[in-house]
Amino acid sequence: MIKVDKIRKLFKKTLVLHDISFEITSGDFVAIMGPSGSGKSTLLYSISGMDSISSGSVLFEGINISEMQEDEISRFRLSKMGIVFQNPHMLRNLSIFDNIILPGLVAKKESPDNIRKRAAELMKRMDIHEIVDRDINEVSGGQLQRASICRAMINNPEILFLDEPTGALNSSATDQVLKILEDLNDEGITIMTVTHDPRVAARAKKVLYIRDGQIAASKEFVEGADRLKELDRWLNELLLGGDKFVLNE
């Protein structure tokens, strides 16, 4: 689905991403981990077209989105991708429901009636149908994050990009969001998430560890393995090994 080839990102003469290459296949669930300031979020923004790259290429189903103009990539992202942030970006003058349907109305892929019907179905599935008419300051953090997932799913995206989706949530809300993401992935939605939380990364099929703007190591989980225990052991080995990382373990 996505091929990232030797991308670099310069910010004020500082190399934030350095010759990063990897692929995401349809149905993948990829988690990006690494120390603070390692370039995790910058990588996600660069791959999704929310940020420009200095060199290299990002191919989405063979289309080089890194060469698109800003308005072109915005339309492409609206149609093909869903984005979820740690702190949901919602309009304060709209209800939860209206925030969810807004990207659908802008994209015009379906009729307004179908968009509203889909939004209602998504909210019911996420167990937030009771907050349909509430303002964004009248709901809990977990409810707001589930509403953000509804909004990201409103245009039937092929991939969900998530930046620390559970970073501001308590344990109960985190578990709810993780179950939703796992179910969506089981249904074929491709997911890429940036996270510092091993509980989130353990739900993924593949983990990329970023250090100093480079992929220092990667880990694929074996089906049926105790992913949290395996991930914990792997991360500890990375930390103890200093700069001696093993690629594609």
Side-chain angles (χ1 to χ4, degrees), residues 145-162:
Q145 195 61 294
R146 280 179 279 163
S148 295
I149 296 173
C150 290
R151 183 180 60 178
M153 290 296 299
I154 195 67
N155 288 327
N156 285 310
E158 295 177 30
I159 184 169
L160 277 181
F161 289 104
L162 305 103

Side-chain angles (χ1 to χ4, degrees), residues 81-85 88-90 96 99-100 103 118-119 122-123 125-126 128 141-157 160-162 165-166 169 173-174 176-182 184 189 191:
M81 307 173 187
I83 314 290
V84 179
F85 301 94
H89 297 180
M90 291 198 174
I96 294 292
N99 266 288
I100 289 171
R118 177 164 172 75
L122 284 167
M123 291 187 76
R125 175 178 180 176
M126 307 291 181
I128 54 170
Q143 289 172 323
L144 196 58
Q145 195 61 294
R146 280 179 279 163
S148 295
I149 296 173
C150 290
R151 183 180 60 178
M153 290 296 299
I154 195 67
N155 288 327
N156 285 310
L160 277 181
F161 289 104
L162 305 103
T166 63
L169 304 181
T174 292
Q176 291 173 337
V177 168
L178 289 180
K179 181 63 168 63
I180 290 166
L181 295 180
E182 201 167 43
L184 290 172
I189 299 295
I191 295 174

Side-chain angles (χ1 to χ4, degrees), residues 189-207:
I189 299 295
T190 306
I191 295 174
M192 177 179 176
T193 183
V194 165
T195 184
H196 67 280
D197 189 341
R199 292 176 301 167
V200 179
R203 301 292 181 108
K205 297 173 181 176
K206 181 190 302 180
V207 181

Side-chain angles (χ1 to χ4, degrees), residues 21-23 30-33 205-211 214-221 230-231 234-235 237-238 245-249:
S21 299
F22 65 95
E23 295 183 5
V30 181
I32 311 295
M33 302 189 78
K205 297 173 181 176
K206 181 190 302 180
V207 181
L208 302 180
Y209 190 90
I210 307 295
R211 169 173 270 183
Q214 295 178 290
I215 297 179
S218 64
K219 174 77 176 176
E220 291 192 39
F221 292 109
E230 197 172 324
L231 178 66
W234 181 68
L235 291 174
E237 288 173 355
L238 292 180
F245 297 100
V246 179
L247 292 175
N248 300 317
E249 176 178 336

Side-chain angles (χ1 to χ4, degrees), residues 6-147:
K6 295 182 180 179
I7 65 171
R8 287 190 170 198
K9 174 66 179 178
L10 281 166
F11 181 72
K12 294 182 179 180
K13 297 184 179 180
T14 299
L15 196 58
V16 183
L17 299 178
H18 180 63
D19 288 340
I20 288 185
S21 299
F22 65 95
E23 295 183 5
I24 298 175
T25 59
S26 181
D28 257 351
F29 190 152
V30 181
I32 311 295
M33 302 189 78
S36 223
S38 58
K40 303 186 299 295
S41 293
T42 301
L43 178 60
L44 184 143
Y45 297 156
S46 297
I47 295 172
S48 61
M50 289 188 288
D51 200 357
S52 61
I53 58 176
S54 302
S55 64
S57 63
V58 179
L59 302 181
F60 190 107
E61 296 177 341
I63 300 171
N64 192 344
I65 64 174
S66 48
E67 293 182 346
M68 290 182 176
Q69 298 298 316
E70 188 173 339
D71 59 339
E72 188 179 8
I73 185 60
S74 293
R75 291 194 299 270
F76 187 89
R77 191 166 52 243
L78 187 65
S79 175
K80 299 282 190 178
M81 307 173 187
I83 314 290
V84 179
F85 301 94
Q86 177 177 340
N87 298 307
H89 297 180
M90 291 198 174
L91 299 178
R92 294 185 177 277
N93 61 325
L94 297 180
S95 68
I96 294 292
F97 185 80
D98 287 341
N99 266 288
I100 289 171
I101 67 172
L102 182 60
L105 297 176
V106 173
K108 298 179 181 179
K109 291 172 67 175
E110 299 180 75
S111 70
D113 284 345
N114 283 344
I115 293 167
R116 292 186 180 92
K117 181 180 178 182
R118 177 164 172 75
E121 291 171 349
L122 284 167
M123 291 187 76
K124 184 175 181 181
R125 175 178 180 176
M126 307 291 181
D127 196 26
I128 54 170
H129 51 283
E130 76 279 6
I131 66 169
V132 61
D133 293 323
R134 293 188 195 174
D135 294 334
I136 63 172
N137 59 351
E138 296 177 329
V139 299
S140 69
Q143 289 172 323
L144 196 58
Q145 195 61 294
R146 280 179 279 163

